[in-house]
Amino acid sequence: MKVIITKDYEELSEKAFEIMAGVLKKKPDAVLGLATGSTPVGLYKKMIEDCKNGGISYKAVKTANLDEYVGLTPDNDQSYRYFMRHNLFDHIDIDLENTNIENGVASDLQKECERYNALLRTLPRDVQVLGIGANGHIAFNEPGTPFDSETHVVDLTENTIKMNARFFENEKDVPRRALTMGPKNIMEAKKILILAVGANKADAVKGMLNGPVDPALPASILQRHPDCTLIADEAAAAYVK
Ligand code: F6R
C-alpha cells in the first residue's frame, strides 16, 4: 500500500483531490465509488470548487456509494443519499440519474442487496474513496465480516453507533442497521483511496498497514489490493513507521 502522510486535513484533501482529478482527466466517464462521513468532505469541497471554476465536468461520470442506513428516506437529512446531495452532487454538474446508493427503505432489504450487487457488476469502479472506522471498519463492514461478502444488511456495532451519534440529535436516533457494500465489492475497484484523519484512527491505521490480513480488522484486506493509497494526517499516522 502506498502511504502519504500530510501535515493537516487541508493538505490531505488536496492530495486526495489530485488523485481523483488524475483519474477523471484520463477518463471523463469514470465510475467513482464514494463514501460519506466527515473524512471525505474536504475532498468533495475541492471537487466542487474546481468544477465551479470551470475544471472537471461530471456530466459523464457515474457514482456508486458504499452504504446507507436502513429506515431513512432520501429526504431525511441524516440519510447518506441526502448527505451526498448536500456535500457534493447538488454543487457539481453530475446527472443525479447517474448516482447510485442503496435504498434503505426498500420493502425487501435482501432483494435490494441483490439489486445493488447486480448494478455494481455493471459499474466497475475506477476509483473507490474510503474512510476508516476507529474499529477498522470500511464502509459498514464491521469486524468479523467475511472478506468475500457482497452488499448485505448489517447490524451496526455499539462503537459505530456511538461514533455516528455526533451527526444525530440523540444517540437513540442513530439507525441500528445499514446496507453496505461488502469487502468483495470494494476490492473490485481498480484504484482505492483510503483517507484517515485524527488520533482516534491511529490504532486502526496501524493494524491496517502492519497487522495480519484478518476480518477482525476489515481494512486489513486492503493490503492485498494492487493499487491502494492511504492518505493520513499526522495524528492518524502516529504509529506509522
Ligand atoms: C461512510 C462509511 C464509513 C466511514 C467511517 C469513517 O460511507 O462507509 O466507513 O468512512 O465510519 O467515518 P468518518 O469519516 O466520519 O470518521
Side-chain angles (χ1 to χ4, degrees), residues 117 120 125 149-151 180-189:
N117 282 324
L120 291 175
R125 276 76 65 213
S149 332
E150 297 192 304
T151 308
T180 183
M181 274 192 210
K184 184 163 178 244
N185 308 108
I186 292 171
M187 289 293 282
E188 283 162 3

Side-chain angles (χ1 to χ4, degrees), residues 34-40 65-67 80 130-134 137-141 160 163-164 166-167 180 197 200-201:
L34 298 177
T36 57
S38 325
T39 311
N65 259 79
L66 289 170
D67 41 19
Y80 285 172
L130 295 175
I132 183 169
H137 74 211
I138 45 173
F140 273 136
N141 295 291
T160 299
M163 293 293 292
N164 289 3
R166 69 188 191 280
F167 298 112
T180 183
V197 178
N200 68 328
K201 304 291 174 70

Side-chain angles (χ1 to χ4, degrees), residues 101-103 110-120:
I101 189 161
E102 296 93 332
N103 176 6
Q110 209 43 53
K111 275 216 178 97
E112 174 55 12
C113 293
E114 284 159 25
R115 180 196 72 83
Y116 206 65
N117 282 324
L119 177 78
L120 291 175

Side-chain angles (χ1 to χ4, degrees), residues 198-210:
N200 68 328
K201 304 291 174 70
D203 281 326
V205 165
K206 180 181 165 208
M208 168 178 72
L209 292 176
N210 306 322

Side-chain angles (χ1 to χ4, degrees), residues 9-10 17 37 45 63 67 80 98 155 166 190 220 231:
Y9 184 59
E10 172 59 25
F17 175 69
K45 280 197 177 131
T63 68
D67 41 19
Y80 285 172
N98 288 337
D155 292 319
R166 69 188 191 280
K190 287 192 194 100
S220 64
I231 312 183

